Amino acid sequence: MATKRAGSGLTVTQQTAKFLGVSVLAGAVLAGIALPAAGLVGLAAKGSVEGFDEIPANMKRPPLSQRTTILDVNGDEIAKVYSRDRTVVDFKQISPHMRKAIVAIEDSRFYEHGAIDLKGVLRALNQNAQSGENVQGASTLTQQYVKNVFVEEAGNDQEKIADATQQSGAAGIGRKIRELKYAIQVEETLGKKQILENYLNITFFGQQAYGVEAAAQRYFSTPAKDLNLEQSALLAGLVQSPSRYDPVNDPDEGKKRRDIVLSRMAEVGDISSKEAAAAKKKPLGLKVSQPKNGCITATKGAGFFCNYVEEVFLSDKAYGKTRKERVKRWNQGGLTIKTTLDPKAQASVQASIENHVNQSDEVATAVSIVEPGTGKILGMGQSRPFGYGKNQTEINLAVNEDMGGGRGYQPGSTFKPVVAAAALEQGTSVYQKYKSPYKMPYPSPVAQCDGKSWTNGAGSTVENENETEVGPYRMKEATALSVNTYYVELISEIGICPVTNMASRLGLDRADGKKFQQVPSMALGGQEMAPLSMAAAYATFANNGVHCTPIAIESITDAHGKALKVPKSTCERAMSEQTAKTVNSLLRGVVEDGTGQKAGLTGRDSAGKTGTTDERYAAWFVGYTPQAAGAVWVGDPKHERRMVDITIGGQYHPKVFGGAVPGPIWRDAMSGALEGKPPTNLPTVPIKDDKKEEKKDKGKKKDKEKEKDRRDRGGKKPSGGSDNPWPDVSFPPDMTGGGGNGGNGRGNGGGDGGWPELR
């Protein structure tokens, strides 16, 4: 309600009403209103009252901000997101009680007058002039509707909101005159029924509810079509001042206002006095539904996936040329977005996370699962939930920084298969053998992409996890044991450029958006990646060497049911089928020991790789089957807490390896995600074993049998034993280590590889 303007005798409403009254008396009203070409209004509002020959389209049916509903692949709701909680309904979906109540209290002569109620204006002018205060308004429902359209268009732009609600001075008069002119045209174009429908859909009812449907659900948990008499009266009474008459915060004030509406309905003949009296005796009958808005309310721990869907929308020019336009489209809402999220996979991801890592742990975990051949994201979760409180975060730890994620994390030895694939594509034999000593200087020079060479001017060295890891090795053994010196020799021979090119073809880039550093320590996973990117890269091996970009959206329909364009996965060949099959053979869980099956994927063909970065700031397991590829990262997002002498998920670890925490998370998440799906085989090629290695393996097998026999007899574990996450499984060092330096190497490692080495 307008107040008296300081320094003047009349408010804007009074001045406007006086002007109209004078126009009526002068016989200057044509087609409902007279607009002067000069004078008081012309001083500030001339531009506001010209050019109104036709009603703007937005006045007929404004694009109202509504809820957007995000669904999983089965069509079940994940979350609702909105700038304004509103669901548009048509006239027949609004209770007759509600229609009568709003007219009775806001504009009882609505069906009798035109856009402007001249009798009401003169009445208000007379009463306000006598009191010296603005005690009675003169706006019709049509005028209120026009004003609400301007407010709706302003969105969250405070400057535009101020313009749309300006009360004082010439600008306020100009706004009022503009609204009056539009109101006339709205009446002529739409008619009473459509105006009332539009009004009830656009107006604000308090408690974050815009429109009568959202209000009915918020206060009474019922649709607008089922509102009874007293419920309708309460909602109609809120429009004048939603905060003052809020029945949730002030039930007494809310009831007083409701009863005023009931009395007014009786006065105008909508209901009898007896009906009004009976309704007044009834309690408010509130059944409040708390507003649930945004990804923070997502089900099944899918808050970060929900946020990723929003980022995908805001990044796609199909929804607007500029990000500002796309944000406006997103806030306008009214969309139904069906995603790729598989509820079974998501539930399995979340359950596995909660079973292995606590929200309050010093470190966190992030998990992503994608489908080979389609790029569909099946599951995405992390141990620190979406939120702003303690042990919560709004950063999606699974994705790149530009999609709402962080700077990424060094993948360690999980990057070595990328180097292997690049070498195989260059013609390197899978039987290529290198000396692979325990410790060695980085070979120099090494070819870079720009035609220059990296040189080891600082004398940087690289070493393996264990002193017993001494070559010569071939690719199969070096991969199984995660021999750092082998892979450094390999990248030094083929050059850095083939590796960076292979990484790009696999969809791998640095999570912080920076370019790859041209250093040989790249072979050891020293440059930051995101779990989603790693999962999609490994899915390429399962898909015969064809990489598919990850996608999160299957379909989008707007408020009118029209299908919108959605981003599609782009599938391109990253390597030959032969290379992919060879990598599968190298990673097959590891083939020699069948550790993929013993990790929980019983009866399924699987492959995978662990990684542990230098100083144990991060540990990974990335693995796949023909039907799903998953990446698990565990670490401190701030890169401050080393994972030594640490308790994670209630279990103490002297040192965390890739197989010690990420491995079990991957095993449980994938097992649940694939439950009920028939197993299929990975495409592989036979790789002959080195005769010497076969002898070593036989010796290892005997040692394992002796150890098993000792345990069966209740013997104690000898001191200095390995940190094995699965006591009944014997792992190659890679499956429990991943190459200790993980990218920085010893010394300078040919560059910092992203994070500086902290000791």
Side-chain angles (χ1 to χ4, degrees):
M1 185 175 292
T3 57
K4 186 161 60 177
R5 181 164 58 93
S8 67
L10 300 175
T11 66
V12 171
T13 301
Q14 291 170 333
Q15 294 175 62
T16 303
K18 184 177 180 180
F19 161 71
L20 290 172
V22 172
S23 298
V24 171
L25 294 174
V29 178
L30 296 175
I33 189 170
L35 294 178
L40 177 62
V41 176
L43 291 175
K46 184 177 180 181
S48 301
V49 298
E50 292 179 345
F52 292 102
D53 293 336
E54 293 184 4
I55 181 175
N58 67 325
M59 288 293 173
K60 298 177 183 178
R61 190 76 176 186
L64 302 179
S65 298
Q66 300 185 64
R67 301 172 181 172
T68 284
T69 305
I70 300 177
L71 309 173
D72 64 26
V73 73
N74 292 341
D76 295 323
E77 184 178 312
I78 296 172
K80 281 187 172 71
V81 296
Y82 49 83
S83 173
R84 292 181 175 175
D85 187 9
R86 178 190 283 116
T87 300
V88 175
V89 292
D90 62 33
F91 195 78
K92 293 180 180 179
Q93 293 175 296
I94 303 172
S95 165
H97 293 302
M98 186 67 216
R99 298 181 224 147
K100 292 177 181 179
I102 199 71
V103 170
I105 195 63
E106 288 295 317
D107 185 3
S108 61
R109 286 171 34 83
F110 176 64
Y111 292 105
E112 301 171 24
H113 60 65
I116 303 161
D117 184 3
L118 292 179
K119 184 184 291 187
V121 169
L122 293 175
R123 183 182 64 249
L125 173 63
N126 180 56
Q127 292 186 12
N128 293 343
Q130 288 181 8
S131 67
E133 297 288 342
N134 188 19
V135 296
Q136 184 169 340
S139 293
T140 64
L141 275 181
T142 307
Q143 290 171 257
Q144 292 181 45
Y145 166 67
V146 170
K147 177 182 177 180
N148 281 334
V149 170
F150 286 121
V151 173
E152 180 72 21
E153 279 193 328
N156 296 321
D157 189 320
Q158 295 303 313
E159 185 175 341
K160 289 184 178 180
I161 292 174
D163 290 341
T165 57
Q166 179 66 42
Q167 293 287 346
S168 61
I173 296 174
R175 176 190 66 78
K176 196 70 176 179
I177 296 298
R178 181 182 61 208
E179 290 175 4
L180 295 177
K181 179 63 176 179
Y182 276 132
I184 294 172
Q185 294 169 311
V186 166
E187 285 267 357
E188 292 176 348
T189 306
L190 300 184
K192 296 293 187 180
K193 180 179 176 180
Q194 188 64 56
I195 291 170
L196 184 56
E197 177 188 317
N198 287 6
Y199 176 83
L200 285 170
N201 276 306
I202 199 172
T203 198
F204 179 54
F205 288 87
Q207 290 286 329
Q208 301 181 40
Y210 288 82
V212 67
E213 178 68 17
Q217 294 289 354
R218 180 75 71 252
Y219 293 101
F220 301 110
S221 300
T222 191
K225 66 182 179 64
D226 294 335
L227 288 168
N228 61 29
L229 174 59
E230 54 270 22
Q231 291 171 337
S232 298
L234 185 143
L235 295 184
L238 290 173
V239 172
Q240 187 181 93
S241 181
S243 58
R244 178 181 175 184
Y245 302 126
D246 184 350
V248 177
N249 295 320
D250 193 339
D252 291 338
E253 195 68 23
K255 186 177 185 303
K256 288 179 184 178
R257 180 62 176 170
R258 181 200 70 175
D259 292 349
I260 289 173
V261 176
L262 290 169
S263 294
R264 183 59 179 163
M265 292 179 74
E267 287 176 16
V268 299
D270 288 331
I271 58 175
S272 67
S273 297
K274 185 177 181 180
E275 287 175 313
K280 289 178 183 180
K281 293 179 181 179
K282 294 182 179 180
L284 292 179
L286 297 178
K287 188 177 180 182
V288 179
S289 297
Q290 294 300 324
K292 292 184 177 181
N293 178 26
C295 293
I296 196 171
T297 67
T299 60
K300 308 178 185 74
F304 292 101
F305 176 79
C306 169
N307 183 254
Y308 181 77
V309 169
E310 179 178 349
E311 290 294 337
V312 169
F313 186 96
L314 297 179
S315 301
D316 196 318
K317 291 185 178 180
Y319 310 114
K321 293 182 180 180
T322 66
R323 187 174 179 87
K324 184 177 181 180
E325 291 178 1
R326 297 190 290 272
V327 168
K328 183 178 180 180
R329 181 69 184 85
W330 178 265
N331 289 337
Q332 181 179 320
L335 307 173
T336 300
I337 303 177
K338 186 178 181 182
T339 71
T340 62
L341 193 75
D342 182 288
K344 182 192 293 185
Q346 180 64 24
S348 183
V349 164
Q350 203 60 31
S352 181
I353 289 171
E354 292 173 3
N355 287 337
H356 294 285
V357 182
N358 296 331
Q359 179 180 336
S360 59
D361 284 343
E362 294 179 271
V363 295
T365 185
V367 182
S368 290
I369 298 179
V370 300
E371 184 176 67
T374 67
K376 293 179 180 179
I377 302 172
L378 305 179
M380 179 185 289
Q382 60 191 55
S383 57
R384 293 180 183 173
F386 192 98
Y388 311 99
K390 186 177 181 181
N391 299 319
Q392 296 179 334
T393 181
E394 56 185 310
I395 298 174
N396 188 343
L397 304 176
V399 303
N400 288 348
E401 189 173 23
D402 65 346
M403 296 300 287
R407 293 170 56 190
Y409 323 98
Q410 295 177 355
S413 293
T414 60
F415 191 79
K416 287 174 180 174
V418 180
V419 182
L424 293 168
E425 285 289 283
Q426 293 294 306
T428 302
S429 170
V430 73
Y431 300 107
Q432 174 67 48
K433 185 179 292 186
Y434 292 112
K435 292 182 179 179
S436 313
Y438 162 66
K439 183 176 182 179
M440 61 178 283
Y442 274 90
S444 177
V446 182
Q448 298 174 310
C449 287
D450 56 6
K452 299 179 182 179
S453 296
W454 176 88
T455 56
N456 189 3
S460 302
T461 60
V462 59
E463 62 187 50
N464 300 324
E465 172 73 11
N466 301 308
E467 293 185 11
T468 56
E469 293 173 0
V470 178
Y473 290 112
R474 301 179 311 164
M475 193 177 293
K476 179 180 179 180
E477 295 76 42
T479 302
L481 299 173
S482 199
V483 179
N484 292 330
T485 54
Y486 179 94
Y487 271 91
V488 166
E489 290 181 275
L490 181 59
I491 195 173
S492 298
E493 180 168 323
I494 67 173
I496 299 170
C497 202
V499 178
T500 58
N501 289 340
M502 176 57 68
S504 296
R505 293 199 294 273
L506 290 172
L508 290 173
D509 48 18
R510 287 182 55 130
D512 57 10
K514 297 179 181 179
K515 294 182 178 180
F516 284 121
Q517 292 181 330
Q518 298 284 296
V519 292
S521 62
M522 179 184 191
L524 308 180
Q527 303 192 46
E528 291 76 8
M529 308 287 176
L532 177 60
S533 298
M534 292 298 294
Y538 270 54
T540 308
F541 303 136
N543 193 37
N544 283 310
V546 175
H547 173 71
C548 296
T549 57
I551 56 170
I553 300 174
E554 284 205 341
S555 66
I556 301 179
T557 55
D558 66 13
H560 305 292
K562 179 183 177 182
L564 304 183
K565 180 182 177 182
V566 297
K568 301 293 185 182
S569 178
T570 302
C571 296
E572 296 180 349
R573 180 159 294 283
M575 65 191 73
S576 68
E577 288 190 27
Q578 182 69 14
T579 294
K581 291 178 180 179
T582 304
V583 173
N584 290 341
S585 297
L586 293 173
L587 300 182
R588 198 171 150 181
V590 176
V591 175
E592 294 87 347
D593 293 301
T595 51
Q597 292 182 351
K598 292 184 179 180
L601 302 185
T602 304
R604 291 190 183 276
D605 211 358
S606 61
K609 188 75 177 68
T610 59
T612 308
T613 64
D614 204 12
E615 300 294 336
R616 305 191 189 282
Y617 285 108
W620 292 72
F621 189 94
V622 188
Y624 55 97
T625 72
Q627 297 145 312
V632 178
W633 160 85
V634 177
D636 178 6
K638 295 182 179 179
H639 197 75
E640 295 174 351
R641 178 61 161 100
R642 295 178 58 204
M643 290 188 290
V644 295
D645 295 323
I646 190 171
T647 298
I648 302 175
Q651 182 176 350
Y652 173 75
H653 300 271
K655 294 180 180 180
V656 170
F657 299 97
V661 179
I665 296 173
W666 181 87
R667 172 195 63 199
D668 292 351
M670 293 287 283
S671 295
L674 294 170
E675 185 179 358
K677 295 183 179 181
T680 55
N681 295 324
L682 286 168
T684 58
V685 296
I687 300 177
K688 297 178 181 179
D689 289 314
D690 186 293
K691 296 299 182 181
K692 294 181 180 179
E693 292 301 323
E694 286 183 359
K695 292 180 180 179
K696 291 182 181 179
D697 289 342
K698 288 180 180 179
K700 291 179 182 178
K701 185 175 181 180
K702 290 180 179 179
D703 291 340
K704 282 186 266 182
E705 291 173 349
K706 290 179 181 179
E707 174 63 14
K708 184 178 184 302
D709 180 66
R710 178 191 59 76
R711 288 199 304 268
D712 291 342
R713 289 184 285 105
K716 295 182 179 180
K717 179 180 178 180
S719 60
S722 63
D723 183 14
N724 192 332
W726 298 303
D728 60 333
V729 180
S730 178
F731 292 87
D734 173 60
M735 292 298 291
T736 57
N741 64 353
N744 288 335
R746 303 303 179 196
N748 294 324
D752 64 14
W755 291 104
E757 182 177 11
L758 303 177
R759 296 187 178 279

